[in-house]
């Protein structure tokens, strides 16, 4: 029997989805993404993908949520933050605590309509992340957990049912198929990048910046009272319902 597909238009271009197509790919540097080696390998993989002309599909909501200043600093020092962006990933510094972003209406409509025809999926590096990515994942039928580098790989392929050994991620600028083994960073390179970007000096600098605080931090109004004044509108610090 023919494979079931769903075809529509997204951002003015044809978009065809099938069972196993991914609509969400999210990397968050906590749990299995907390170690520099996995985050840097993910960044290097994105760099290599960009170098051969690969990007994530336009319909895929792809994001890299950087949860602390140290991770953001060593990814920037390694020069891979820009590569992640060029590969199609939206990079967000969660430690900045910026206002909540909303899912694009066109993407939400696509996810809703696709779910009525095929089984779509989300590839996440863990079950936590920013609200926007979690809301996006909730709109897909199947949700999978993978290491940060593999989230990048699956996102480039645009599907969860790929066999990396026998199937290419896509076609490169040279017109030939590109397999994961063609762009996976070498262990020696990953170790060298980690050695040159994650060192005591950079850790001390980041921690000193945290301890020193920012102008925004020192400008926060402080109420000196013996008991904490709970704010029912707060989304970060809430009173326990006991």
């Amino acid at each position: 029997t023919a494979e079931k597909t769903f075809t529509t238009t997204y951002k003015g271009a044809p978009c065809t989805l099938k069972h196993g197509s991914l609509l969400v790919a999210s990397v968050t540097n906590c749990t299995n993404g907390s170690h520099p080696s996995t985050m840097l390998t993910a960044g290097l993989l994105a760099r290599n993908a960009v170098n051969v002309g690969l990007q994530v599909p336009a319909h895929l909501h792809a994001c890299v949520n950087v949860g602390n200043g140290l991770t953001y600093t060593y990814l920037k020092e390694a020069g891979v933050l820009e590569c992640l962006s060029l590969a199609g990933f939206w990079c967000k510094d969660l430690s900045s605590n910026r206002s909540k972003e909303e899912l694009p209406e066109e993407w939400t409509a696509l996810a809703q309509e696709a779910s009525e025809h095929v089984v779509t999926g989300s590839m996440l590096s863990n079950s936590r992340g920013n609200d926007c990515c979690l809301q996006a994942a909730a709109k897909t039928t199947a949700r999978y957990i993978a290491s940060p580098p593999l989230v990048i790989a699956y996102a480039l392929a645009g599907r969860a049912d790929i066999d990396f050994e026998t199937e290419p991620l896509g076609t490169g600028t040279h017109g030939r198929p590109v397999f994961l083994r063609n762009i996976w960073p070498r262990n020696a390179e990953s170790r060298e990048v980690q050695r040159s970007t994650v060192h005591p000096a950079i850790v001390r600098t980041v921690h000193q910046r945290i301890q020193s605080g920012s102008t925004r931090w020192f400008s926060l109004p402080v109420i000196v009272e013996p008991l904490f004044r709970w704010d029912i509108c707060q989304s970060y610090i809430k009173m326990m319902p006991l």
Side-chain angles (χ1 to χ4, degrees), residues 32-202:
N32 69 345
S34 63
H35 198 279
S37 65
T38 60
M39 295 299 289
L40 285 169
T41 299
L44 292 173
L45 180 60
R47 180 205 64 185
N48 294 346
V50 169
N51 288 342
V52 296
L54 294 184
Q55 285 184 312
V56 301
H59 64 265
L60 201 152
H61 183 79
C63 53
V64 175
N65 304 297
V66 182
N68 60 66
L70 179 59
T71 303
Y72 181 86
T73 302
Y74 66 63
L75 287 177
K76 188 175 181 179
E77 287 285 323
V80 296
L81 270 181
E82 182 181 2
C83 295
L84 284 162
S85 179
L86 291 173
F89 284 82
W90 180 59
C91 300
K92 178 178 175 61
D93 181 4
L94 292 182
S95 63
S96 65
N97 194 19
R98 296 191 181 95
S99 60
K100 176 183 173 183
E101 68 279 359
E102 299 292 336
L103 288 169
E105 291 184 6
E106 186 179 6
W107 184 91
T108 302
L110 170 68
Q112 178 62 42
E113 190 176 3
S115 67
E116 299 172 2
H117 300 276
V118 293
V119 177
T120 57
S122 299
M123 193 66 64
L124 314 170
S125 67
N126 54 67
S127 57
R128 292 175 286 175
N130 72 334
D131 291 343
C132 186
C133 285
L134 293 180
Q135 289 175 19
K139 298 182 184 299
T140 61
T141 310
R143 288 169 284 281
Y144 306 93
I145 300 290
S147 67
L150 283 180
V151 171
I152 303 296
Y154 279 108
L156 291 168
R159 42 189 277 246
D161 60 346
I162 183 173
D163 182 345
F164 289 125
E165 289 294 322
T166 60
E167 299 177 272
L169 299 173
T171 303
T173 51
H174 45 57
R176 295 192 296 271
V178 178
F179 290 83
L180 181 58
R181 59 179 174 269
N182 300 141
I183 61 172
W184 188 268
R186 295 183 179 276
N187 291 337
E189 181 187 19
S190 296
R191 287 193 297 267
E192 176 56 27
V193 171
Q194 183 177 342
R195 186 197 64 77
S196 62
T197 58
V198 187
H199 46 78
I202 198 172

